[in-house]
Amino acid sequence: MLRRGAIFLAASASQIALGVLAWWLIGAGALDGDVQPGWLIAWVLLSLSALFVQLFASFTGGLLTIDVAALLKQRLLCGALRLDPASIRARGSGELLAMVSESEAVETAGLGGALGAIVALVQLASAAAVLAAGAGGGLHVALLLGWTLAVALLGRRFARERAAWTRARFASTSGFVEHVVGHRTRVAQQASQLHHVEEDAALERYHGASRRMDSVGDLLASLPARGWLALGLLGLVPAVLGGVGVGPRVVATGGILQAQAAFATLATSLGALLSAAVSWRSIARLFVAAERREPTGIPQAVLGRPATSGVVLEARGVSFRYDAERGEPVLRGCDLVLSKGDRLLLEGRSGGGKSTLAAVLSGLHAPSSGLVLLRGLDRRTLGGAAWRSRDLRAASSSMHGATPPSAAHTVRSRDAGATRGALRRRCAG
């Protein structure tokens, strides 16, 4: 992709250079009053070459966009699969749905906007070189730099308004989905006259954010190109009043028009690119989560270790809290010994820690304190892949071919809250 990106950049720069050279040839002949057929043929050939190079740049840019989009999708999918289950649980389904839509915005708007912005910047650089050789000289170059800075500040303001609009849209989407999911509970628990108060307030915030973003977006779409044309022509006035020749004035006018086209491209691309940048903040956690690596374990332990007893899974003093610093423990001091052939029943009211205990025992969560052993080895020693493999084999052996114990006994779990549930270990029969 880096090689393809370099080819795209070189092709874009070549296309702009060929266009400038073609118009320089025909312009020089026209100003001298001697347009030879050879100059016209050269102009046609250079223009056709610029057209073919532009087609090649567009083709290369399309391939580059496809490659980057495919890599981005793979990375985001990998990050989604490596997210911490606790962070997924803390997010509602509405927020997760909004993250999916934002990933689409990054792919469609971000990649196209990035390529367009690159082409616009190359055009601006070439326009600066043409303006430096024209009647305006340094004044035109300074005006171009100042106007570029003004457009950048306008883009920054648009990014702020876009971020506020995105937050309002996230809140509206998340609230709508959560209300749909919990509609029956809401109808039963909330007075009917209050059903739409929260939605109306969210829609009002969304409408205000949309209005502000659209007003800045309209400026960003129209002001850069038109404002520069007026500013560039104004910068040409001193040269006209000073009696500068026709040739330098024509060159300056060509540079002004070239910069105007660059600003028109930049305005469109910048809006899409800034929108994608705001959307990126919502999915960046997925991109970063793809870098998570679970411990590989000790190969000698993973290759195989003969069992010295019938104990498959053992928990000693296991405690767990979702907030490692301030949260109350969901589990506290849980002890469990599960042997081959045993069946386990978790009992307790909602919120008592049943799912959390199962997640800790299966390796989805690391215990805040205590120790979990699978056939005598902890997860750090085995590594994630070997832990899951042994966990599946252990579960399979616990369900089949085992002689059930003659008696059932109970292991108590002192978990948080008022739950006094028991871990009842029943025999397989």
Side-chain angles (χ1 to χ4, degrees):
M1 285 189 300
L2 292 177
R3 182 173 64 253
R4 188 163 287 167
I7 294 175
F8 168 77
L9 184 61
S12 300
S14 300
Q15 180 261 328
I16 295 173
L18 287 172
V20 172
L21 181 59
W23 286 107
W24 176 78
L25 286 175
I26 196 67
L31 291 175
D32 293 339
D34 184 20
V35 181
Q36 299 293 332
W39 293 113
L40 290 176
I41 295 175
W43 175 75
V44 172
L45 292 176
L46 286 173
S47 300
L48 290 176
S49 299
L51 177 61
F52 284 113
V53 172
Q54 183 180 12
L55 292 175
F56 176 73
S58 300
F59 175 74
T60 306
L63 294 180
L64 179 62
T65 301
I66 294 173
D67 290 343
V68 175
L71 183 62
L72 179 63
K73 285 181 177 179
Q74 294 175 6
R75 173 106 181 185
L76 293 179
L77 178 60
C78 180
L81 296 176
R82 290 183 178 177
L83 278 178
D84 183 18
S87 65
I88 298 177
R89 183 177 182 178
R91 304 182 186 281
S93 55
E95 184 174 354
L96 296 176
L97 179 62
M99 289 176 63
V100 174
S101 65
E102 292 303 297
S103 65
E104 291 293 332
V106 171
E107 178 186 350
T108 55
L111 298 180
L115 295 181
I118 292 174
V119 173
L121 292 177
V122 174
Q123 285 180 321
L124 283 176
S126 65
V130 174
L131 288 172
L139 175 62
H140 263 151
V141 174
L143 290 176
L144 180 65
L145 294 177
W147 189 249
T148 303
L149 179 60
V151 172
L153 294 177
L154 182 60
R156 182 181 178 184
R157 182 183 173 188
F158 174 79
R160 289 199 302 267
E161 299 298 339
R162 173 78 184 196
W165 175 80
T166 301
R167 287 193 297 269
R169 184 165 62 89
F170 259 46
S172 179
T173 303
S174 178
F176 173 76
V177 174
E178 296 299 330
H179 287 154
V180 170
V181 173
H183 176 69
R184 298 179 65 179
T185 303
R186 189 183 187 197
V187 170
Q189 295 181 355
Q190 192 177 43
S192 59
Q193 63 270 20
L194 300 178
H195 284 177
H196 301 289
V197 173
E198 193 174 334
E199 288 92 335
D200 291 344
L203 286 175
E204 183 63 29
R205 290 191 296 269
Y206 176 75
H207 177 68
S210 300
R211 186 172 58 251
R212 292 189 297 270
M213 183 189 69
D214 290 341
S215 62
V216 180
D218 291 340
L219 285 177
L220 184 62
S222 60
L223 185 60
R226 297 176 182 178
W228 162 251
L229 181 61
L231 187 62
L233 294 177
L234 186 62
L236 195 59
V237 171
V240 175
L241 297 178
V244 179
V246 177
R249 280 186 284 168
V250 171
V251 173
T253 303
I256 292 172
L257 295 177
Q258 187 179 0
Q260 182 193 17
F263 277 118
T265 303
L266 183 62
T268 303
S269 303
L270 189 60
L273 189 60
L274 291 174
S275 300
V278 173
S279 300
W280 175 258
R281 300 174 189 173
S282 304
I283 64 172
R285 60 177 65 92
L286 295 180
F287 192 86
V288 175
E291 299 178 356
R292 292 182 55 195
R293 296 291 186 272
E294 55 186 6
T296 56
I298 302 175
Q300 292 80 359
V302 175
L303 289 177
R305 180 175 182 269
T308 57
S309 67
V311 176
V312 176
L313 186 65
E314 185 176 0
R316 303 176 184 173
V318 170
S319 299
F320 180 82
R321 64 182 70 197
Y322 285 100
D323 190 338
E325 298 179 357
R326 299 181 300 274
E328 290 293 326
V330 181
L331 301 174
R332 185 185 297 113
C334 294
D335 297 322
L336 171 67
V337 176
L338 182 63
S339 300
K340 185 176 180 180
D342 289 346
R343 304 290 182 89
L344 195 66
L345 173 65
L346 296 179
E347 286 186 341
R349 71 182 186 183
S350 178
K354 301 183 298 300
S355 300
T356 302
L357 178 60
V360 171
L361 295 179
S362 63
L364 291 176
H365 295 321
S368 302
S369 62
L371 188 64
V372 179
L373 301 176
L374 185 60
R375 295 195 181 279
L377 297 176
D378 62 358
R379 192 171 186 272
R380 184 183 296 274
T381 302
L382 284 172
W387 178 277
R388 288 189 295 272
S389 177
R390 288 188 172 220
D391 197 7
L392 289 174
R393 291 199 302 267
S396 177
S397 63
S398 296
M399 297 296 292
H400 303 287
T403 303
S406 58
H409 56 279
T410 299
V411 180
R412 294 286 180 179
S413 169
R414 301 186 302 276
D415 51 44
T419 302
R420 298 296 180 183
L423 297 177
R424 293 185 179 176
R425 199 168 61 172
R426 296 188 179 277
C427 52

